[in-house]
Amino acid sequence: MAETDLGKTIDRALADLREAFLPRFRAAATEQALRDENAKILGKKGELTAILKQLGQAAPASRKAIGEKVNSLKQEVETGFESCLSDLKRKAREAELSAPAFDLTLPGRMPIPRGHEHPVSIVREDVVAIFRQLGFAVFDGPEIEHEENNFTHLGFPPDHPATDMQDSFWTTSGKLLRTHTSNIQIRALSTIEPPMAFIAPGTVYRRDDDATHSPMFHQIEAFLVDRSVTFAHLKGILAEFAERLYGPGTPVRLRPSYFPFVEPGAEVDIGCVFCKGASGVRVGCNLCKHTGWIEILGCGMIHPVVFENCFKDRGIDPEKWSGFALGMGLERIAMLRYGIPNIKLLFENDPRFLAQF
Ligand code: DAH
């Protein structure tokens, strides 16, 4: 194309665009539509940009004049865009202001889902409430514990398997994550004057992981120290506790067992809460393994060596005091109460699971 022709073509294209751009901008009903239209003209592949690209082919003498025309149109387009944009924004604002009032505080149409208490928390609160009614006070203690409070003063021999690296989580400074809430017995007995009756809910840790064990779980310890406490007191508290937690008439039985910090020690079973001990031809159900009984806790009379360890440097005569202690796993109690088959369900916190309680 001859250069003069090119100049004319460009001129015509510029004139066409000058006429067209404002009506195009005004036709845009939304900010996005306006921006899109603007990009079609001024963008990298825009119409004006395309014209500008032809400039290189124009005669050097006329380039400057054409360039100026392109630039001045570019400015007109930019100004036009800005003014249309502020028009659009103003109109939107006016529409907003003249619209009917909108009450932000009205409740939504969909019901708001509510959180649920975790089954372990429910059970913990229930157990704590029962013991408080029976006169026990809550005693709290740390989860990172000295070996003495977790093991030694409770009468664990130094080579007891629980003290092994394989069974417990030790810190580099020689402390450990407490493996049970029995550490609270030591903490209370070494700091408080007897008599006393405490309950201690808390988190405990062991290297254990399967369908019924989790490396982190929860226990409640209860203990009572006074003059002339007997096994009968312990049994009375246990019977009362079982009835209040699982309902009137819940039978309790004790089996002799061993724990280093009690003598005698026992494990406590309640009559199976699912089958009540009898169903059909065979006694029991799967949950009580067809025995009709379910184990819920360990207990016993506090071992003299525990009194000795905690009282000897404090001028308290260990001979004058006796007491009982008991400890239970809260996950186990919750699993039994709600028929939960796998302990992992208690830690995954799936709302569909939690919403059932
Ligand atoms: N500390 C024991 C455990 O974690 C539970 C226990 C058993 C606590 C007997 C007691 C008790 O107070 O007397 O397995």
Side-chain angles (χ1 to χ4, degrees), residues 179-180 182 185 206 219 221-222 259 261-262 266 298-300 325-327:
T179 60
H180 52 188
S182 303
Q185 285 184 49
R206 289 180 200 174
Q219 284 190 333
E221 190 88 2
F259 302 96
F261 40 92
V262 283
C299 66
L326 59 97

Side-chain angles (χ1 to χ4, degrees), residues 7 10-11 14 55 58 62-71:
I10 294 182
D11 272 352
L14 289 175
L55 197 59
S62 57
R63 255 181 228 167
K64 190 169 174 238
I66 301 176
E68 275 166 7
K69 282 182 198 163
V70 172
N71 271 333

Side-chain angles (χ1 to χ4, degrees), residues 4 16 62 110 157 212 240 247 286 314:
T4 46
D16 286 350
S62 57
M110 300 288 284
T212 52
E240 194 59 39
N286 279 338
R314 301 174 62 221

Side-chain angles (χ1 to χ4, degrees), residues 166-186:
Q166 305 307 312
D167 289 304
S168 307
F169 295 103
W170 292 86
T171 70
T172 46
S173 60
K175 292 183 176 180
L176 78 159
L177 298 183
R178 66 174 171 193
T179 60
H180 52 188
T181 42
S182 303
N183 67 324
I184 301 298
Q185 285 184 49
I186 302 302

Side-chain angles (χ1 to χ4, degrees), residues 13-26 34-43 46-49 51 69-85:
L14 289 175
D16 286 350
L17 192 56
R18 171 168 291 117
E19 240 170 72
F21 81 89
L22 257 188
R24 280 166 65 184
F25 282 172
R26 291 202 179 115
L34 177 63
R35 289 188 186 283
D36 290 347
E37 209 51 49
N38 187 48
K40 277 187 209 155
I41 300 172
L42 294 184
E47 295 153 38
L48 194 59
T49 318
I51 297 174
K69 282 182 198 163
V70 172
N71 271 333
S72 96
L73 180 57
K74 191 174 170 214
Q75 265 168 23
E76 281 173 56
V77 172
E78 279 166 357
T79 320
F81 168 76
E82 290 302 334
S83 99
C84 283
L85 184 63

Side-chain angles (χ1 to χ4, degrees), residues 96-117:
E96 214 171 66
L97 290 174
S98 59
F102 176 75
D103 185 354
L104 282 171
T105 65
L106 279 177
R109 290 205 184 87
M110 300 288 284
I112 299 166
R114 301 183 95 214
H116 288 259
E117 232 184 328

